[in-house]
Amino acid sequence: MNYKPKKIIKHREAKKLFQILIQELEKENNLNDRTLMIVDNIVLLEQLKQEHMDDIKDRGVVELFKNGTQEMFRENKSVDKILKIVEQQRKLQAELKLTPASEKKVTEAVTVDEFEAF
């Protein structure tokens, strides 16, 4: 079946991420309505992240802030928001079992050292 991102998704990077996630979930045979909902959320977060990155490109990491006669530099709030978005995306990817950590399988038996045997 051919899946497409929601119409609200306009950014090229977000659309590309949608296709990558759909391909991975199809490969794992884990594509259903619930996982598609999570993919939509990840892609929406990606679009927001790209918009914040564009803001940082325009205004920089710090911005000049004027309050009456006071002038000071303050951190662009988009920087902090990108970090929060990335963390939320990682959590959603972990739910879909699409993180490198979720690929690791515990195959080794737990060894008992001499102290625990005592």
Side-chain angles (χ1 to χ4, degrees):
M1 188 172 199
N2 192 12
Y3 295 95
K4 293 184 180 180
K6 291 185 175 186
K7 290 182 181 182
I8 193 170
I9 304 301
K10 304 285 186 201
H11 205 281
R12 185 175 52 88
E13 293 298 319
K15 288 180 180 182
K16 192 182 338 178
L17 179 62
F18 180 85
Q19 295 303 324
I20 290 169
L21 292 171
I22 292 296
Q23 287 174 357
E24 288 298 315
L25 289 170
E26 283 179 335
K27 204 184 310 180
E28 297 291 324
N29 206 16
N30 192 21
L31 188 59
N32 56 45
D33 289 340
R34 291 178 308 185
T35 57
L36 192 57
M37 182 179 62
I38 294 172
V39 168
D40 285 339
N41 289 337
I42 293 171
V43 172
L44 183 59
L45 285 168
E46 181 65 27
Q47 180 161 304
L48 291 172
K49 182 175 80 173
Q50 294 299 326
E51 291 170 1
H52 285 298
M53 289 175 77
D54 291 342
D55 177 53
I56 291 170
K57 286 178 189 172
D58 291 342
R59 297 189 303 153
V61 177
V62 292
E63 59 184 339
L64 182 62
F65 176 69
K66 294 181 182 182
N67 184 13
T69 58
Q70 291 181 323
E71 288 185 6
M72 63 188 107
F73 285 97
R74 69 176 179 187
E75 182 181 329
N76 186 339
K77 293 180 181 178
S78 290
V79 174
D80 188 46
K81 292 191 182 199
I82 287 175
L83 295 173
K84 289 178 181 177
I85 289 170
V86 168
E87 181 63 23
Q88 187 63 36
Q89 282 180 314
R90 187 198 61 75
K91 288 178 183 177
L92 291 173
Q93 287 173 349
E95 273 191 50
L96 294 174
K97 295 183 174 74
L98 294 177
T99 60
S102 61
E103 290 179 3
K104 294 179 183 176
K105 307 284 188 242
V106 179
T107 56
E108 296 179 13
V110 177
T111 58
V112 178
D113 63 7
E114 293 174 16
F115 182 76
E116 288 178 349
F118 181 71

